[in-house]
Amino acid sequence: GDYQLRFLNAGLGDSKFFHVESYLSVPVTIGKESVDLGVITVTASAELRGTASLEGATLDDLVPAGIRVGLIAPNDRVLSADDKRFAPVAPDGSFALPRVFASDYAVRLYSLPSGYYVIDVTQQGRSVRNGELRAGNGDLRVRIGVDGPVLGGRVRIEELAPVSDATVVLVPGSGGRPWTAQSDQSGRYRFAPGIAPGEYRIAAVEDLPALRHEDTALLTRIAAEGTELTLNPRDAKALDLKIPSKAQR
């Protein structure tokens, strides 16, 4: 059969708890005969440092408390040696993730205040926001915008009752990661902070399973049937969306 062998080299951390110092994952197909894997070298971890800056802010402005930097790796592989997947951003913008394995990562920011959004994340001048970040290839530079829009509204069936638990899909016109929001019992929805100014398409749909919220191709098709939307800097926009009644579908 097909297997994934994972090699972990454990060490003793300062906190007296074991953490992983090196790691390797190897795909193996085993038949009826013995398999010789040869020499296997595990990958050591490295510290990943970076700095976040506020674009359009004054030099005296500090990064708001609570913002965290997180890494996303493909195939749910181990992200860091001691499972510290997130790092807090200090008021001066600095952050550090200790013991991160050399692998391909994307970068996400969490707990952004209203109106804040990520402009880009670079490493050695290359954009690594959506992948190709590797620990040991230099520090990160995170640029954060502070003039982002706020978007919310209500989902209804035509002009009638509000729709609860509908999925509202927002897709950038230039491509990129779609955004989703769920309507509450009153049909109201509100997108989390992080949306940048720009051109979008927006639509609402019922009965979309949570697992499909990560299906970029599906979300893009849903939004294509919706409405064009322009979000300007510092917009506070309320937009009501209509879903056809079941009799009209």
Side-chain angles (χ1 to χ4, degrees):
D2 295 328
Y3 298 86
Q4 196 79 17
L5 300 182
R6 293 187 175 184
F7 301 85
L8 305 177
N9 177 24
L12 190 63
D14 295 337
S15 61
K16 306 304 179 184
F17 289 99
F18 284 102
H19 63 257
V20 179
E21 291 183 339
S22 52
Y23 165 83
L24 182 67
S25 181
V26 179
V28 177
T29 300
I30 300 177
K32 294 183 179 180
E33 300 180 357
S34 300
V35 176
D36 184 359
L37 297 179
V39 178
I40 295 176
T41 303
V42 294
T43 303
S45 59
E47 184 178 55
L48 180 63
R49 291 182 171 273
T51 303
S53 61
L54 304 180
E55 300 287 315
T58 67
L59 294 177
D60 295 331
D61 287 340
L62 299 177
V63 175
I67 296 178
R68 298 178 299 155
V69 175
L71 302 183
I72 298 176
N75 302 323
D76 196 30
R77 65 176 62 140
V78 176
L79 288 173
S80 63
D82 52 2
D83 202 32
K84 290 184 178 177
R85 302 186 177 201
F86 306 97
V89 179
D92 65 357
S94 62
F95 60 87
L97 288 101
R99 298 187 293 275
V100 177
F101 292 116
S103 187
D104 179 16
Y105 299 101
V107 184
R108 296 288 182 265
L109 262 65
Y110 301 91
S111 303
L112 289 169
S114 180
Y116 283 57
Y117 61 95
V118 178
I119 298 174
D120 201 4
V121 182
T122 57
Q123 185 181 43
Q124 293 187 346
R126 296 183 304 108
S127 178
V128 294
R129 180 180 180 182
N130 294 313
E132 299 187 3
L133 180 155
R134 296 186 68 87
N137 278 7
D139 292 352
L140 296 183
R141 183 190 176 200
V142 180
R143 296 167 55 217
I144 301 174
V146 298
D147 60 350
V150 176
L151 175 61
R154 181 173 290 183
V155 182
R156 297 179 180 274
I157 297 179
E158 292 303 323
E159 302 294 340
L160 302 176
V163 181
S164 64
D165 203 32
T167 302
V168 182
V169 181
L170 183 71
V171 175
S174 59
R177 181 171 66 95
W179 292 80
T180 61
Q182 294 297 119
S183 62
D184 62 16
Q185 294 296 318
S186 300
R188 297 187 182 278
Y189 71 91
R190 184 180 179 89
F191 282 95
I195 299 172
E199 302 295 327
Y200 293 87
R201 293 196 71 90
I202 187 170
V205 63
E206 287 186 283
D207 303 324
L208 184 67
L211 291 176
R212 305 305 298 274
H213 289 192
E214 302 299 326
D215 188 335
T216 298
L218 174 61
L219 298 179
T220 300
R221 291 197 299 270
I222 292 172
E225 301 296 325
T227 304
E228 292 184 352
L229 175 66
T230 299
L231 295 176
N232 295 311
R234 305 188 189 281
D235 261 355
K237 186 160 290 188
L239 179 66
D240 288 351
L241 301 171
K242 298 177 183 178
I243 293 180
S245 64
K246 292 183 179 180
Q248 295 175 315
R249 298 176 200 174

